[in-house]
Amino acid sequence: MNTKTAFDLIFRNARTRASATPLDIGVASGRIAAIEPRLACEATEIEVGGRLALPGFVDTHIHLDKACLLGRCAHNHGSVSEAIAAVAAMKRDFTVEDVYARGARVIERAIVHGTTRMRTHVEIDPRIGLRGFAAVKALKRDYAWALDLSICVFPQEGLTNDPGAEELLIAALRDGGEAIGGCPYMDTDPNAHLEKIFDLAQQFDVDVDLHLDFDLDPSWWHLEEVCRQTERRNYHGRVAIGHATKLSALPPDRLKAAAARLAKCGVAVTVLPATDLYLMGRDATHNAPRGLTLAHKLVADGVLCSVATNNVLNPFTPFGDASLLRMANFYANVAHAGISEFDTCLDLVTELPARLMNLRDYGIAPGNPADLVILDTDSGTNAIAELPDMLMGFKNGRQVFERRKPTLFHPQA
């Protein structure tokens, strides 16, 4: 390397998933400038010591506006509708300051767990108005130093049956909403709900990210209507469905057909393990179904998929630490992933969700932002198997967190 090529920072001896041997990663002006063995240049150096460097985790589906609500209501909710009702009762009293404080708590946990990109779904309706949206816009601005936050606005409690919701959605899309979602199973006219969501998506040229088919009855679904709308509007690659737990209830032949349909029309699937497992199958007295759609199997059939957080510490999911690595490990356990599939499980929280969000500048490659996290392991497979410590993270070449390795204090001889 010619010493005239200036770097601001060099990561020495970093392993990447693309290289079997450690390499140096040179950073200039916040972007990756070179990936080579033994870069020869004067710059600040960080010795990685053969540990794994990842381009940061990507959370495609989280609800910052209704996180951290434990303690505000009883939490023995046994169904999706009961969880929705519990939050609906609380959100009338949400303030901008309240949403901001709870969202910041989750974002900061996500940052120290290595997340660098995130899409948050924000409820827009006459009960909450635009207060949650205003708070999340402020979070996007205030945490841009560590995380790229994209805002997906959606009507949780219906649309055609909720006067005023459409006008509020339009106001949010005019004021920075970057994607639009929907929840057709909460609407009295699900197909009209979907039609209107796709209309608004086209009007504002934004992607669609829906909550869909969130139960275990495979005798009916809205998936086909979503595929039809996607094809009719040439929205291939711009539509995602979250939960889709009905897919977990399909026999192999029907699942194969559904996967082919999703792959053909370019509709992605986001699996939300913590929530899906918590809420599905609760009425079973024995042999309770998991209710978890097998994302890594769908990937093998050509469907773009991700695994994401969804809810944190609320009636939908009274657990959570915003760690996508833990979520991928959790998913791999429950989904019976084989060792040879562990790398795909890591893909579900890195490369694949980056594709789902149509991120064009993601990954450890020259020209991309130097968004990196260093894990205390040496391979993608071991990242899933070991659930290693996240040692440090960088956004645009600037360090945003550090976690020191634990020290054992052996007894004196």
Side-chain angles (χ1 to χ4, degrees):
M1 172 63 63
N2 190 321
T3 56
K4 290 182 180 179
T5 302
F7 297 113
D8 306 314
L9 174 65
I10 297 176
F11 295 92
R12 296 287 186 194
N13 299 308
R15 289 187 187 272
T16 69
R17 298 178 69 193
S19 175
T21 58
L23 298 169
D24 293 347
I25 302 172
V27 177
S29 300
R31 292 187 173 270
I32 297 170
I35 306 172
E36 300 176 16
R38 298 179 296 281
L39 286 174
C41 183
E42 293 295 326
T44 300
E45 297 185 5
I46 294 178
E47 177 55 54
V48 178
R51 295 182 181 88
L52 180 66
L54 293 178
F57 297 102
V58 182
D59 203 330
T60 60
H61 191 126
I62 193 169
H63 294 265
L64 294 176
D65 56 336
K66 56 191 182 191
C68 303
L69 293 172
L70 296 185
R72 296 195 185 185
C73 68
H75 294 286
N76 292 320
H77 306 293
S79 70
V80 176
S81 60
E82 287 176 317
I84 290 173
V87 173
M90 287 186 282
K91 73 182 175 185
R92 295 174 183 271
D93 298 324
F94 287 176
T95 65
V96 173
E97 296 76 17
D98 170 47
V99 174
Y100 184 98
R102 290 184 287 103
R105 178 179 167 189
V106 174
I107 283 178
E108 290 183 6
R109 293 297 299 274
I111 290 168
V112 299
H113 287 306
T115 296
T116 56
R117 315 279 185 115
M118 177 183 285
R119 173 184 284 174
T120 182
H121 291 245
V122 179
E123 294 189 18
I124 305 288
D125 62 40
R127 268 74 59 200
I128 183 65
L130 296 174
R131 298 190 303 278
F133 178 69
V136 172
K137 275 186 32 175
L139 290 168
K140 174 184 175 73
R141 176 195 68 222
D142 293 349
Y143 284 94
W145 55 271
L147 179 141
D148 294 326
L149 182 62
S150 176
I151 304 174
C152 178
V153 296
F154 86 112
Q156 170 76 81
E157 298 174 49
L159 182 56
T160 69
N161 56 329
D162 197 4
E166 182 178 344
E167 291 76 12
L168 288 166
L169 279 172
I170 290 171
L173 288 166
R174 285 176 175 160
D175 194 27
E178 295 154 281
I180 188 169
C183 200
Y185 54 81
M186 291 298 295
D187 204 302
T188 52
D189 191 341
N191 285 353
H193 180 112
L194 289 168
E195 178 92 18
K196 178 57 66 175
I197 294 300
F198 275 89
D199 283 346
L200 290 172
Q202 285 193 300
Q203 179 182 340
F204 288 93
D205 191 24
V206 295
D207 291 355
V208 175
D209 197 335
L210 303 160
H211 295 66
L212 203 78
D213 293 341
F214 194 13
D215 61 50
L216 298 178
D217 179 1
S219 67
W220 64 272
W221 60 13
H222 298 129
L223 184 149
E224 179 54 38
E225 178 62 16
V226 170
C227 291
R228 191 183 73 82
Q229 292 281 351
T230 301
E231 289 179 327
R232 182 164 75 86
R233 299 166 190 266
N234 195 28
Y235 245 53
H236 183 285
R238 301 193 65 181
V239 179
I241 57 175
H243 298 295
T245 50
K246 286 180 185 286
L247 293 173
S248 74
L250 295 180
D253 57 336
R254 286 191 61 195
L255 181 60
K256 201 79 172 176
R261 184 78 175 104
L262 289 164
K264 181 176 182 292
C265 66
V267 172
V269 176
T270 295
V271 174
L272 304 160
T275 303
D276 297 347
L277 285 160
Y278 179 70
L279 288 176
M280 294 297 99
R282 295 184 69 87
D283 55 349
T285 60
H286 59 285
N287 282 342
R290 286 177 165 85
L292 184 79
T293 291
L294 299 183
H296 68 294
K297 299 295 188 185
L298 290 177
V299 169
D301 284 336
V303 182
L304 179 59
C305 293
S306 69
V307 161
T309 299
N310 196 40
N311 282 290
V312 177
L313 303 177
N314 72 13
F316 293 88
T317 320
F319 314 99
D321 59 1
S323 169
L324 282 175
L325 185 62
R326 183 185 66 82
M327 193 64 71
N329 169 278
F330 179 47
Y331 168 85
N333 271 270
V334 178
H336 291 155
I339 297 170
S340 64
E341 297 167 319
F342 284 7
D343 266 305
T344 301
C345 293
L346 187 57
D347 290 340
L348 288 166
V349 292
T350 53
E351 281 80 5
L352 296 177
R355 283 176 50 200
L356 185 152
M357 288 179 61
N358 289 306
L359 303 177
R360 308 300 183 192
D361 60 353
Y362 178 84
I364 300 179
N368 285 346
D371 298 350
L372 301 173
V373 290
I374 308 300
L375 281 63
D376 191 18
T377 191
D378 61 358
S379 71
T381 295
N382 286 338
I384 295 297
E386 298 175 354
L387 206 56
D389 288 336
M390 207 82 53
L391 298 179
M392 63 185 78
F394 297 78
K395 183 66 177 171
N396 296 318
R398 177 187 174 274
Q399 188 164 3
V400 296
F401 79 88
E402 179 181 24
R403 181 181 285 110
R404 297 187 182 277
K405 289 187 64 176
T407 300
L408 289 176
F409 295 98
H410 293 278
Q412 296 295 322

